[in-house]
Amino acid sequence: MKEQIFARPETGDTNRGWAVLAVCWAFVACAFISTVLRVWVRVRLTRNMGPDDFNMIAAMTTTLIGVGLITTEVINGLGRHEYCLTPSQRRNTKIIGWVDWMQTFITLMLTKTSICLFLLRIVDSRKIKIAIYALIGCLITFTTICVCLFLGVCRPLKAYWDVGVDGICLSDHQLESVVLAQGILSIISDLICAAFPVLFLRNLQIKMRTKVALCVLMGLGVITAACCTVRTVLSGAITDPDITWAIIPNVGWRLPEVNIGIVCANAPILRPLYLYFQGRLQTQKASSTAISKERMAPNNVNWSDSTKLQDSLEWNGLGESHSSADHRVSLEMGLPRHWVNKEQV
C-alpha cells in the first residue's frame, strides 16, 4: 500500500474516540447483563438451555472481543485525524479496524442465528421452519463470504496495512460494496425475524394482551434494522483517506446495532423472569392479605377460599394451552408448569 500524504486538519488534534468508547462500553454492559439474565432464566427457571442460548453466549463473547478491539483502536488514534498519528498508530488502527469489521460480521450472524434457533423452538409450521432454516443458511453463507473477502483484501495481506509492502488489493469500491451488501442482508434478516412472530402467534389460544406483548418483544429487531440502515448509509467512510476520523459516525451506529441486537434477542427469553417476580409478589401479597384477614376475622371464619385462590395463581400468563404450539410458547415465554407446581407446594 502506498504511503499517503495527509492535509493538516482545520480542527486541530481533536479526539472523538473517548466519547465513542464511553458509548461502546455502555451498550456492551447492557448486552452483557441481558445475556447473563437470559442464561440464568434458562438454567434456573425454565431449565431448557438450547442451541439458541449457546449461540447467544458466543455472540456475547465476540462482542466482548469487539469492545476490546475498539478500546485498543481508540488508544492508537481512532477518533483523531490521520495527520496527527504516528506511522505506528496508523498501522495499528488499520490492523485492528480490519479485524473489528470481521468481528462485527460474525457477531451479527451469531445473534440473528440465535433468534432463528429460538423461533424454531416454538413454531410448528413446516413452511415457516423451512424458511427459517433457509435464512440461517443465507446468514452463515454470506457472512463466510464477507469474512473471506476481508481475509483476502490484499495479496500479500500485509500490504493492506504496511505502506512499505507492494501488493494487489481490493479497490475502494469493492471493499465498500462488501460492507454495503452485508448491511443490506442484515437489514432484511432483521425485518424477517421481526415479522415471523406475527405469523405463528396470531393463531395461538392466548389472551390478546399477552399476544400483543409477545409480538412486541419478538419484533424488537426493527430497532436493530434502523441502526443498521444508518450504519450502511455511512459505510462509505471505510474508504476515506482520513479513516480514523471519518469512520466515527459509522462506529457510533455499528455499536448500537450489534449490542441492541443482542438485548432485543434476549428480551423475549427474559419474560419468565418478569413473570417470576410478578408471581412471587402476587403470591406474597395474597398471603399477606389472607393473614391480615385471618387476624381480624372471628375464629369461626374459614379462609380456605383465599388459600385456594393463592394456590391457583397463574404464573405463566398464557392461560390454558390448546395446542402443541401453545404449549411450546408457554414453555419458552413463560414458566413451565412443573416448575410452578414445585414452587407452590
Side-chain angles (χ1 to χ4, degrees):
M1 180 175 290
K2 296 181 180 179
E3 186 173 3
Q4 294 177 324
I5 299 176
F6 303 99
R8 180 188 295 272
E10 296 179 358
T11 57
D13 190 8
T14 306
N15 190 348
R16 300 189 292 180
W18 296 109
V20 170
L21 194 59
V23 173
C24 174
W25 278 100
F27 277 110
V28 170
C30 294
F32 181 77
I33 292 171
S34 69
T35 303
V36 171
L37 290 175
R38 175 193 180 122
V39 174
W40 188 83
V41 166
R42 284 293 173 85
V43 172
R44 296 298 301 274
L45 296 187
T46 59
R47 297 192 178 100
N48 58 344
M49 283 282 287
D52 56 325
D53 303 303
F54 295 114
N55 248 61
M56 185 54 67
I57 292 172
M60 191 65 241
T61 302
T62 55
T63 299
L64 292 174
I65 294 173
V67 73
L69 292 172
I70 292 291
T71 302
T72 308
E73 277 190 274
V74 171
I75 293 173
N76 279 275
L78 180 66
R80 298 169 61 196
H81 290 283
E82 292 267 356
Y83 176 86
C84 304
L85 305 182
T86 65
S88 176
Q89 288 176 321
R90 294 187 193 122
R91 178 178 180 274
N92 291 340
T93 53
K94 196 82 170 179
I95 296 173
I96 300 168
W98 169 72
V99 176
D100 188 44
W101 271 107
M102 291 188 287
Q103 173 274 137
T104 300
F105 297 156
I106 294 172
T107 301
L108 290 173
M109 182 270 293
L110 289 172
T111 303
K112 298 176 198 303
T113 303
S114 175
I115 296 172
C116 291
L117 292 173
F118 170 69
L119 293 175
L120 287 173
R121 296 176 68 158
I122 57 180
V123 300
D124 57 357
S125 170
R126 185 171 179 272
K127 292 182 179 180
I128 294 180
K129 284 187 175 182
I130 292 175
I132 293 174
Y133 278 121
L135 180 59
I136 293 174
C138 289
L139 288 170
I140 295 174
T141 301
F142 199 80
T143 300
T144 303
I145 292 173
C146 290
V147 171
C148 288
L149 287 173
F150 262 70
L151 288 173
V153 64
C154 285
R155 291 182 297 174
L157 183 58
K158 191 177 181 180
Y160 181 66
W161 57 76
D162 196 330
V163 295
V165 177
D166 293 328
I168 301 174
C169 300
L170 294 178
S171 66
D172 290 346
H173 175 71
Q174 290 172 328
L175 197 60
E176 184 178 351
S177 297
V178 173
V179 177
L180 286 173
Q182 189 279 332
I184 292 172
L185 177 66
S186 186
I187 295 169
I188 294 173
S189 59
D190 282 332
L191 295 177
I192 291 175
C193 289
F196 268 136
V198 179
L199 298 177
F200 62 84
L201 286 177
R202 61 182 179 179
N203 296 323
L204 293 183
Q205 302 298 319
I206 58 179
K207 295 178 181 179
M208 180 57 68
R209 184 178 64 179
T210 304
K211 186 181 296 187
V212 172
L214 294 180
C215 286
V216 171
L217 282 175
M218 300 178 71
L220 290 175
V222 294
I223 301 176
T224 309
C227 294
C228 184
T229 301
V230 179
R231 186 262 292 179
T232 303
V233 172
L234 298 172
S235 293
I238 194 174
T239 59
D240 194 292
D242 193 9
I243 187 172
T244 53
W245 176 267
I247 200 69
I248 288 298
N250 180 280
V251 174
W253 283 99
R254 197 194 323 162
L255 295 171
E257 176 192 359
V258 172
N259 293 285
I260 290 178
I262 292 176
V263 173
C264 292
N266 289 333
I269 289 83
L270 298 183
R271 186 169 183 270
L273 184 64
Y274 164 75
L275 296 173
Y276 168 71
F277 286 111
Q278 184 188 51
R280 170 165 288 185
L281 290 174
Q282 288 177 350
T283 302
Q284 290 175 348
K285 182 178 180 181
S287 178
S288 299
T289 303
I291 292 173
S292 298
K293 288 182 177 180
E294 187 173 358
R295 288 176 178 175
M296 295 173 61
N299 293 332
N300 60 349
V301 176
N302 186 356
W303 291 102
S304 59
D305 291 340
S306 298
T307 305
K308 291 179 181 179
L309 178 62
Q310 175 184 340
D311 291 339
S312 64
L313 286 175
E314 288 285 347
W315 286 14
N316 60 14
L318 296 173
E320 292 296 328
S321 297
H322 297 283
S323 68
S324 60
D326 291 10
H327 176 71
R328 282 194 293 273
V329 173
S330 177
L331 181 63
E332 300 297 337
M333 307 296 290
L335 297 178
R337 295 187 182 279
H338 73 81
W339 188 89
V340 175
N341 294 335
K342 180 179 178 181
E343 289 293 318
Q344 291 181 347
V345 172

